[in-house]
Amino acid sequence: MEREVAWKKYDEAQLAEVDELAAAYIDFISQNKTERECAAAAIEQAEAVGYTSLEEAAREGRALKPGDKVWASAHGKAVILAHIGEEPLARGMNILGAHIDSPRLDIKQNPLYEKDGFALLDTHYYGGIKNYQWVALPLALHGVVAKTDGSVVQVVVGEDASDPVFCVSDLLPHLGRAQMEKTANKVIEGEDLDLLVGNRPLRAPGARPAGAGEAPLRSEAAQPSLHGTSPASAGLATGEAGCGVPHQQAEAEEKDPVKALVLRLLEEKYGIAEEDFLSAELEVVPAGRAREMGFDRSMVIGYGQDDRVCAYTSLVAQLALAEPGVPTPLRTAVTVLVDKEEIGSVGATGMESLFFENTIAEIMELAGEGGVLPLRRALSHSRMLSSDVSAGFDPAYASVFEAKNAAFLGRGLVFNKYMGARGKSGSNDASAEYMARIRRVMDDAQVTFQTAEIGKVDAGGGGTIAFIPARYGMDVIDSGVPVLSMHSPWEVTSKADIYEARRGYEVFLLNA
């Protein structure tokens, strides 16, 4: 059963819709490369169409009624959006669940050091990556630094055209014979993924000024800074440690002058001291915008499409229910955007936490349906799409796919009845009855979809958050967009699949 190619059915108006959605999606993933950024953007977009804070509603004791729209957040890294439906919540909800974290490099708590004239930041990779893919490409730094005075500093360096970028260096092939003899997982070790952030020393007090025949450290017109603009500090502007520097600090600057200049720049731009790395969450991600790909502009290449392609289309589908003229859904529509999926859905912001359950309990209390038993009924009667990407068939690596059960780019939204590995281990397995319901909903709305497994039976596998909400007894199936080069710094998707996912998610929320 070969599924149709979605592109063949589009008229000119639909092609325009495809491009419009893709353009908005490209902007979203270009501007939001961390779970914090995605969560904040989702809340901002939700509030723009009438969503209000669930926490505020609970504090005010404000009752929720059909048509009301609320959002909740866990530590700024996970978000739940709920559009209250006409039916009692105890009869169940229609739920989309995606994750907004992606593989990356995280800066360690004690990261900054100098070695052989270079300043570097030590990293710890997050999620399943191929280490060798992260060398010799421009990288950006995103995140927050929480200070002991209670302030939180937002950090983004490497995205603006005037910003510097960073990289992990690689060995030239002329000297790389021994390196090339290593297996792929050993070519670049995890501890070698250190971020190169500086090479210029801070001039010590009393250092001989540049004289005839000696180039100055910089001219006043070319002062170093994190964002390409001239720093305000006079000491920084000359690259010299100022007068009155404590003796121990002066010794440290003399010992590690490149590190010292990096610290000076961080202090000037952000007010960050070295100790502040202890309470920082800084993520290293590929620098630059997502782009259209192919002569025909049919694809999107960008960082973090696992799983922001499903998170974004789920978000857009959820918010579409708030558009003028759209009737209040019969069943409450919920979109869950969670963190930590790439490392097991653990922690206070992952799907394994009680954030989801507690939020639904709070909503039901304000809707006049509070209590343990109504909550259990609501969860068990709910239906969910675990909105997560699938592996797209790649002809360059055809040997690991079983073609008739593979997902192909351009053939629409993918449903994985089960995932897992080694005999479906760790997988949710949707029932035949639920699969039939999903087929009917998609067919009625003429959504182009396909079914797939992730590779050949013994080739590997994967998993999503599906098995976690399935514990409540609700029907759950994996559903998402096929991706090429998954977990690489730059992943590839089809605009047609993004469009069909957005359509499929909306009709699921309204009609499942």
Side-chain angles (χ1 to χ4, degrees):
M1 295 182 293
E2 185 170 316
R3 308 300 294 184
E4 66 175 321
V5 175
W7 290 105
K8 293 181 179 180
K9 71 177 185 180
Y10 298 146
D11 58 24
E12 290 301 317
Q14 288 172 312
L15 286 172
E17 291 177 2
V18 169
D19 282 334
E20 182 180 5
L21 177 64
Y25 168 64
I26 286 171
D27 285 343
F28 184 87
I29 62 172
S30 298
Q31 296 162 9
N32 302 292
K33 294 188 177 182
T34 71
E35 61 283 2
R36 286 179 182 268
E37 292 167 350
C38 288
I43 292 170
E44 181 181 6
Q45 292 189 27
E47 289 185 333
V49 297
Y51 279 75
T52 59
S53 166
L54 178 63
E55 183 178 358
E56 290 181 8
R59 187 166 55 246
E60 297 168 2
R62 189 166 72 244
L64 295 179
K65 62 185 184 304
D68 285 346
K69 302 175 288 293
V70 292
W71 64 265
S73 177
H75 304 281
K77 302 180 191 177
V79 176
I80 292 176
L81 306 176
H83 190 137
I84 309 303
E86 297 284 0
E87 293 184 352
L89 282 106
R91 295 186 186 176
M93 300 159 283
N94 292 345
I95 305 169
L96 300 174
H99 68 91
I100 51 178
D101 61 313
S102 296
R104 59 179 188 260
L105 306 179
D106 282 344
I107 299 299
K108 291 184 178 180
Q109 285 187 286
N110 185 19
L112 184 59
Y113 69 98
E114 179 173 335
K115 185 175 182 180
D116 299 325
F118 292 103
L120 301 107
L121 289 173
D122 207 352
T123 72
H124 191 139
Y125 60 84
Y126 173 97
I129 69 169
K130 294 178 178 178
N131 294 355
Y132 64 80
Q133 293 181 330
W134 286 78
V135 300
L137 75 160
L139 299 170
L141 200 60
H142 289 234
V144 298
V145 178
K147 304 179 71 175
T148 54
D149 63 4
S151 62
V152 177
V153 181
Q154 303 286 333
V155 176
V156 178
V157 185
E159 300 296 351
D160 189 88
S162 63
D163 284 359
V165 294
F166 314 99
C167 81
V168 177
S169 61
D170 196 9
L171 182 63
L172 69 163
H174 311 67
L175 301 178
R177 186 175 66 179
Q179 180 194 48
M180 297 299 288
E181 291 174 353
K182 297 180 180 179
T183 57
N185 66 335
K186 295 292 185 182
V187 169
I188 303 292
E189 301 278 1
E191 285 292 351
D192 294 333
L193 291 171
D194 289 356
L195 196 67
L196 186 58
V197 298
N199 178 234
R200 176 178 175 173
L202 180 72
R203 286 199 351 216
R208 182 173 66 87
E214 180 183 356
L217 287 176
R218 78 170 155 283
S219 68
E220 288 299 312
Q223 301 168 1
S225 77
L226 292 176
H227 287 272
T229 56
S230 299
S233 165
L236 183 60
T238 59
E240 298 180 3
C243 297
V245 175
H247 180 67
Q248 289 182 334
Q249 180 181 340
E251 284 187 343
E253 291 175 351
E254 185 176 353
K255 179 182 177 183
D256 294 319
V258 180
K259 173 183 173 181
L261 182 56
V262 169
L263 287 172
R264 181 69 65 86
L265 292 168
L266 289 172
E267 195 277 333
E268 165 65 24
K269 178 64 182 179
Y270 295 109
I272 297 171
E274 186 170 9
E275 286 286 313
D276 293 325
F277 281 113
L278 296 175
S279 51
E281 291 179 1
L282 297 172
E283 302 177 12
V284 181
V285 299
R289 286 180 55 81
R291 301 283 295 274
E292 293 178 308
M293 181 172 152
F295 286 121
D296 55 6
R297 300 178 182 266
S298 62
M299 294 169 282
V300 173
I301 184 168
Y303 166 69
Q305 298 199 72
D306 177 12
D307 183 36
R308 294 181 188 126
V309 65
C310 297
Y312 180 74
T313 46
S314 296
L315 172 65
V316 172
Q318 176 81 23
L319 300 186
L321 305 188
E323 293 177 356
V326 178
T328 300
L330 290 178
R331 286 161 62 96
T332 293
V334 177
T335 290
V336 184
L337 306 176
V338 291
D339 182 25
K340 298 294 187 288
E341 192 274 346
E342 296 294 357
I343 58 171
S345 297
V346 295
T349 55
M351 196 66 197
E352 288 275 20
S353 75
L354 291 178
F355 171 52
F356 170 67
E357 183 177 329
N358 289 346
T359 299
I360 300 303
E362 192 74 70
I363 291 171
M364 294 187 70
E365 183 70 28
L366 295 179
E369 298 184 56
V372 174
L373 187 55
L375 173 64
R376 295 301 166 201
R377 287 172 177 162
L379 294 172
S380 66
H381 293 156
S382 292
R383 303 182 188 113
M384 182 176 183
L385 297 184
S386 176
S387 309
D388 206 343
V389 297
S390 190
F393 181 89
D394 189 335
Y397 305 99
S399 63
V400 297
F401 293 92
E402 196 265 288
K404 69 180 182 298
N405 285 294
F408 286 79
L409 266 65
R411 296 186 186 176
L413 180 60
V414 182
F415 290 97
N416 299 93
K417 186 177 185 295
Y418 49 80
M419 286 195 175
R422 300 177 303 280
K424 303 183 185 179
S425 176
S427 174
N428 172 68
D429 196 339
S431 70
E433 294 84 353
Y434 187 45
M435 186 70 219
R437 173 184 286 272
I438 294 298
R439 288 175 56 203
R440 175 183 58 78
V441 169
M442 298 299 149
D443 285 342
D444 287 350
Q446 296 183 314
V447 174
T448 302
F449 73 91
Q450 55 187 316
T451 60
E453 298 182 25
I454 296 187
K456 287 183 176 178
V457 172
D458 291 327
T464 70
I465 64 171
F467 73 96
I468 303 169
R471 293 170 179 169
Y472 297 116
M474 72 173 70
D475 282 317
V476 186
I477 189 169
D478 288 300
S479 169
V481 172
V483 175
L484 296 187
S485 304
M486 191 190 301
H487 281 216
S488 72
W490 297 96
E491 299 166 317
V492 177
T493 55
S494 166
K495 288 182 179 180
D497 300 331
I498 296 169
Y499 180 68
E500 296 300 325
R502 181 252 182 270
R503 294 183 63 240
Y505 292 158
E506 184 177 352
V507 299
F508 170 83
L509 289 174
L510 289 171
N511 301 316

